[in-house]
């Protein structure tokens, strides 16, 4: 059975893809409820920072520190250094990653700083990225800074 929060992140990734963007989605969960959801909108918005995780944090709005410290961030792809920095900044204690074969983010740094990182190796997440990269290698290379 699929984790409903990972499914929500996958739904966000699919929404991003349908908008012409990179299919990476994320949700921020507090006390069993999604308080923020987002997807990579760099292409759609011409943004330098709107990765899926950053969009989910932005859409959660300003929260008290205790909320972040009791939340879990679900993301379809391993978080990059920028997104990992935001996770650390807000003290989010747990991250669930859909897949890290397409891109290995800053998971080791998160773990060294005490964040629990659970990688679930979800085939749907991997397939979304593989199809996108095959069709739009230049967009993917730009997004990861190559």
């Amino acid at each position: 059975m699929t984790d409903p929060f990972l499914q929500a992140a996958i739904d966000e990734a699919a929404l991003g893809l349908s908008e012409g963007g990179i299919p990476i989605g994320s949700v921020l969960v507090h006390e069993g409820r999604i308080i923020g959801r987002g997807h990579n909108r760099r292409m759609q918005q011409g943004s330098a920072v709107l990765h899926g995780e950053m969009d989910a944090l932005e859409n959660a709005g300003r929260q008290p520190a205790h909320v972040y410290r009791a939340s879990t961030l679900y993301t379809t792809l391993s978080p990059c250094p920028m997104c990992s920095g935001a996770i650390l900044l807000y003290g989010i204690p747990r991250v669930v990653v859909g897949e890290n074969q397409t891109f290995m983010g800053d998971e080791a740094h998160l773990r060294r700083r005490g964040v629990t990182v659970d990688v679930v190796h979800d085939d749907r997440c991997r397939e979304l990225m593989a199809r996108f990269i095959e069709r739009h290698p230049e967009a993917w290379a730009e997004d990861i800074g190559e």
Side-chain angles (χ1 to χ4, degrees):
M1 185 157 101
T2 300
D3 181 313
F5 300 126
L6 181 60
Q7 183 61 56
I10 292 168
D11 293 345
E12 284 292 324
L15 178 59
L17 183 63
S18 76
E19 296 171 351
I22 298 170
I24 304 167
S26 185
V27 295
L28 183 64
V29 176
H30 178 256
E31 296 182 347
R33 182 175 68 83
I34 296 172
I35 62 171
R37 58 178 64 231
H39 52 274
N40 187 304
R41 294 190 305 141
R42 290 188 71 232
M43 294 174 67
Q44 301 93 308
Q45 300 292 323
S47 171
V49 297
L50 281 180
H51 285 189
E53 300 91 338
M54 301 298 280
D55 194 38
L57 288 167
E58 178 69 17
N59 290 329
R62 186 175 173 185
Q63 298 293 323
H66 71 86
V67 171
Y68 295 115
R69 289 192 302 262
S71 293
T72 298
L73 185 74
Y74 288 75
T75 182
T76 59
L77 188 66
S78 185
C80 75
M82 174 181 67
C83 296
S84 294
I87 291 163
L88 294 172
L89 177 67
Y90 292 108
I92 297 168
R94 180 173 179 241
V95 178
V96 176
V97 175
E99 68 107 344
N100 64 5
Q101 289 182 314
T102 302
F103 175 79
M104 174 57 77
D106 232 355
E107 294 174 22
H109 182 63
L110 289 171
R111 287 184 178 107
R112 280 193 302 274
R113 296 284 303 270
V115 176
T116 299
V117 179
D118 297 320
V119 182
V120 297
H121 305 288
D122 189 282
D123 289 335
R124 296 165 302 165
C125 297
R126 195 169 28 257
E127 289 165 11
L128 269 171
M129 290 306 301
R131 282 195 306 269
F132 178 82
I133 292 168
E134 182 179 306
R135 293 181 184 132
H136 306 283
E138 70 293 338
W140 172 242
E142 178 191 333
D143 198 66
I144 62 169
E146 289 186 353

